[in-house]
Amino acid sequence: MPGFERFGDLEREQLQDVLNNGVLMRYGFDGMRNGHWKAKALEEELKTNLESKYVQLVSNGTSAVSVALASAGVGAGDEVIMPTFTFVASFEAILLLGAIPILVDIDETLGLDVKAVEAAITSKTKAVMVVQMCGSMANMNGLSQVCNKHNLLLVEDACQAIGGRYNNKPLGSIGDLGCFSFDFVKTVTCGEGGAIITNNKEYYINADGFSDHGHDHIGSDRGAESHPFLGYNFRISELHAAVGLAQIKRLPEFLAIQKKNYTILRNALSEIPEVTFRTVPKGGQESYSFLNFYLPDLETARTTMDAFKDNGVDVCWNYYDNNWHYVRKWTHLKEAKSLFPLSKDIKDALSVLSEKTFTQSDHYIGRNISCLIKLSWTEDEVRDRANKMKEAILKSL
Ligand SMILES: *Cc1c(COP(=O)(O)O)cnc(C)c1O
């Protein structure tokens, strides 16, 4: 997955353009730029790539989620449904706006369970945030139907799934708003960066202003621009956008490598009857950034992880005891350990969460092993890895 594995001359040339004219900021300084608008150019590339009318770049993927929610009017007291298996960024982005994260179970897709989502809807629910974890997707037809039926916003976090598709649409473009991260370990990286995509003009205009202190970006005199609403600074810099611009052009190359490496590993593991693979919904095509498979139970998954370590198989995880990606170890969230006072609504919801168990999620996460697909592996290395993985699993069964 990480695009940094293939950094080269393209990235250096783009960066050099910015350093040559010295304009590190994405707005203003028109005269000094020699025609270089890296953030604008990257937004144009992403529009084409992600088949969306509007793209707003921001400082990172976490801020992309906050900006997306704020742009659609989600805030204090609103409930946002999110999965138990994701990255901590999901609840951080919700809490930043004073909104309330409501965690619900995942299913065999490793994404939100449609029935669990519907059961969690209350009169305060404003949005459903689906997270397309590890290069694949939740049951998007089911989730879209539930959101339509209950008039809820569908926000799609596709930070780990750039290049994946569903019913021939790019992941991220199915919900009302989609979010991407270009942090250092993502498929397309620029160090720190993020993007919001949407076909809704109003959401886009809101995202554009909100991520830059509420500036309306009308005219060519930044100092004279007005502020139709309050905003923050979630801007991306030209340095970051320049690297992103080089990387996005290489996405087809990265996806092809991911698919090739993934397929070798998957074919090898398919020979073991006890191994099953994560369900990809009908009409879905993974980005192949990870290979996810299930073992019969948590014990076998743990033994297999130990055997992977003994065999030198790295970049694989069982998320059951993971601090970053699964609800079980999010004690700072459950105990509401905030540096500043939280609203009563939020504290009440977190107190309910601290008492909750998620047996259905435990059932899938406990048995799952998730392996990163690297871009820098040679074919020999992938085949060697496949053999070592197979051997370790067979030993553990
Ligand atoms: C990486 C990631 C984010 C956050 O992105 P940053 O750019 O690191 O802030 C959000 N959601 C998911 C699913 C991610 O993997």
Side-chain angles (χ1 to χ4, degrees):
M1 176 156 97
F4 72 75
E5 294 178 274
R6 312 284 286 198
F7 275 156
D9 287 344
L10 283 169
E11 285 78 6
R12 274 187 282 275
E13 280 161 24
Q14 288 290 349
L15 205 45
Q16 199 60 52
D17 284 343
V18 179
L19 292 173
N20 286 348
N21 67 41
V23 183
L24 310 190
M25 181 164 170
R26 70 159 298 177
Y27 298 113
F29 304 93
D30 301 24
M32 288 167 64
R33 288 181 176 271
N34 297 326
H36 291 304
W37 297 87
K38 299 301 182 187
K40 275 193 177 47
L42 177 53
E43 283 168 349
E44 288 308 314
E45 285 286 333
L46 288 167
K47 276 184 208 173
T48 312
N49 232 293
L50 300 169
E51 300 169 32
S52 290
K53 273 194 199 148
Y54 306 104
V55 175
Q56 179 64 43
L57 284 173
V58 288
S59 47
N60 56 62
T62 314
S63 61
V65 181
S66 281
V67 172
L69 291 168
S71 299
V74 177
D78 293 332
E79 292 182 351
V80 179
I81 292 175
M82 57 164 276
T84 53
F85 174 52
T86 174
F87 180 48
V88 290
S90 300
F91 59 76
E92 292 169 352
I94 296 167
L95 289 171
L96 186 79
L97 305 173
I100 307 167
I102 302 293
L103 275 67
V104 313
D105 271 320
I106 55 157
D107 65 14
E108 68 279 5
T109 64
L110 295 176
L112 277 178
D113 177 40
V114 179
K115 282 204 196 79
V117 168
E118 195 151 30
I121 295 172
T122 72
S123 58
K124 293 204 273 180
T125 309
K126 194 79 169 272
V128 173
M129 190 203 295
V130 57
V131 185
Q132 317 292 28
M133 286 298 280
C134 306
S136 186
M137 69 220 79
N139 172 356
M140 294 305 290
N141 262 355
L143 291 173
S144 300
Q145 276 167 17
V146 167
C147 288
N148 285 339
K149 183 170 147 198
H150 297 271
N151 199 20
L152 301 174
L153 191 74
L154 181 58
V155 177
E156 204 183 340
D157 176 341
C159 290
Q160 295 191 6
I162 193 165
R165 295 180 80 82
Y166 181 76
N167 286 346
N168 218 15
K169 282 166 104 175
L171 293 181
S173 73
I174 299 147
D176 299 291
L177 295 128
C179 305
F180 291 88
S181 164
F182 309 120
D183 81 19
F184 193 51
V185 296
K186 299 302 201 280
T187 304
V188 167
T189 179
C190 66
E192 299 283 359
I196 297 124
I197 65 171
T198 183
N199 287 326
N200 181 309
K201 189 170 180 184
E202 190 192 332
Y203 294 163
Y204 163 68
I205 290 172
N206 290 346
D208 177 57
F210 186 72
S211 57
D212 183 26
H213 304 294
H215 272 262
D216 65 10
H217 297 143
I218 293 171
S220 55
D221 178 359
R222 188 167 165 81
E225 288 173 8
S226 68
H227 306 98
F229 47 76
L230 296 169
Y232 288 99
N233 179 1
F234 294 120
R235 289 190 306 257
I236 193 169
S237 82
E238 284 287 275
L239 289 170
H240 291 93
V243 178
L245 191 54
Q247 286 256 305
I248 193 71
K249 294 179 179 163
R250 309 180 63 187
L251 181 60
E253 168 199 337
F254 293 171
L255 292 173
I257 299 170
Q258 283 180 176
K259 184 172 183 178
K260 182 168 172 251
N261 292 346
Y262 169 108
T263 307
I264 294 172
L265 296 181
R266 180 166 175 142
N267 287 345
L269 300 198
S270 299
E271 292 167 19
I272 307 172
E274 289 88 347
V275 169
T276 55
F277 294 92
R278 171 228 202 123
T279 303
V280 178
K282 192 163 163 286
Q285 189 189 327
E286 296 182 72
S287 74
Y288 308 104
S289 54
F290 288 82
L291 174 66
N292 281 275
F293 58 93
Y294 295 114
L295 291 162
D297 50 46
L298 173 63
E299 266 330 290
T300 315
R302 283 184 167 148
T303 320
T304 301
M305 282 304 303
D306 290 340
F308 276 0
K309 277 192 194 92
D310 295 343
N311 266 10
V313 175
D314 61 355
V315 296
C316 291
W317 298 272
N318 168 259
Y319 288 117
Y320 193 72
D321 292 314
N322 184 280
N323 286 340
W324 294 94
H325 292 287
Y326 190 51
V327 64
R328 285 184 72 250
K329 290 288 175 79
W330 292 338
T331 37
H332 64 316
L333 174 69
K334 295 182 209 173
E335 292 170 11
K337 288 198 171 153
S338 173
L339 292 179
F340 50 84
L342 296 171
S343 72
K344 184 174 178 308
D345 282 348
I346 290 177
K347 281 197 285 198
D348 289 349
L350 296 183
S351 149
V352 171
L353 175 67
S354 68
E355 301 291 316
K356 255 189 150 158
T357 47
F358 292 94
T359 39
Q360 183 176 313
S361 301
D362 286 351
H363 172 72
Y364 293 109
I365 291 297
R367 294 186 300 133
N368 175 256
I369 290 182
S370 188
C371 295
L372 181 73
I373 303 295
K374 285 202 169 188
L375 299 172
S376 54
W377 290 331
T378 63
E379 186 168 332
D380 283 348
E381 282 169 339
V382 186
R383 294 199 184 280
D384 181 49
R385 165 175 288 264
N387 288 333
K388 286 179 172 158
M389 285 172 76
K390 227 168 96 177
E391 191 186 279
I393 295 168
L394 287 171
K395 209 168 65 186
S396 308
L397 283 168

